Amino acid sequence: MGDDILRRTLRGHLGHANVAATLVISLGCEVNQPENLLAGDDAGVETLTIQELGGTAATVNAALAHISHLVAQVTESRRVPIPLAELTLGFSAAAVTPIRD
């Protein structure tokens, strides 16, 4: 259950409108592999695996190259105004404390 909550939370962050790009760095032997985390929806997500790249130094160098590429893509993005009617707000009723007299 704990892994499911972690995956759901991370997927929520990955899919957030304010996240323009994502680079996931995996050790390669953990339970939460990127393919389990992304659950088939890997649009805009790049993954590096430390064990596949041959260690930390190689992964850092690869990450820097990927980040440069991602920054170039993100700078091409433009904000687009949307009507207020398309905004969705939500709240958890469990978090609301009732007022008692």
Side-chain angles (χ1 to χ4, degrees):
M1 180 173 171
D3 289 341
D4 292 335
I5 293 170
L6 174 62
R7 291 177 187 148
R8 186 184 72 205
T9 301
L10 292 175
R11 274 196 296 279
H13 287 291
L14 295 175
H16 193 279
N18 289 329
V19 175
T22 305
L23 176 61
V24 176
I25 298 176
S26 168
L27 179 58
C29 61
E30 61 274 343
V31 173
N32 281 309
Q33 293 294 313
E35 59 270 10
N36 296 334
L37 168 68
L38 303 173
D41 184 23
D42 61 353
V45 177
E46 296 191 33
T47 304
L48 299 176
T49 304
I50 295 172
Q51 290 180 346
E52 289 177 6
L53 290 170
T56 303
T59 305
V60 168
N61 291 331
L64 292 172
H66 279 279
I67 290 168
S68 295
H69 174 72
L70 293 173
V71 167
Q73 287 180 338
V74 169
T75 57
E76 295 175 6
S77 299
R78 299 290 173 244
R79 290 181 181 245
V80 178
I82 61 168
L84 188 58
E86 291 187 32
L87 179 65
T88 302
L89 298 176
F91 70 95
S92 172
V96 176
T97 304
I99 299 173
R100 300 184 187 259
D101 292 325

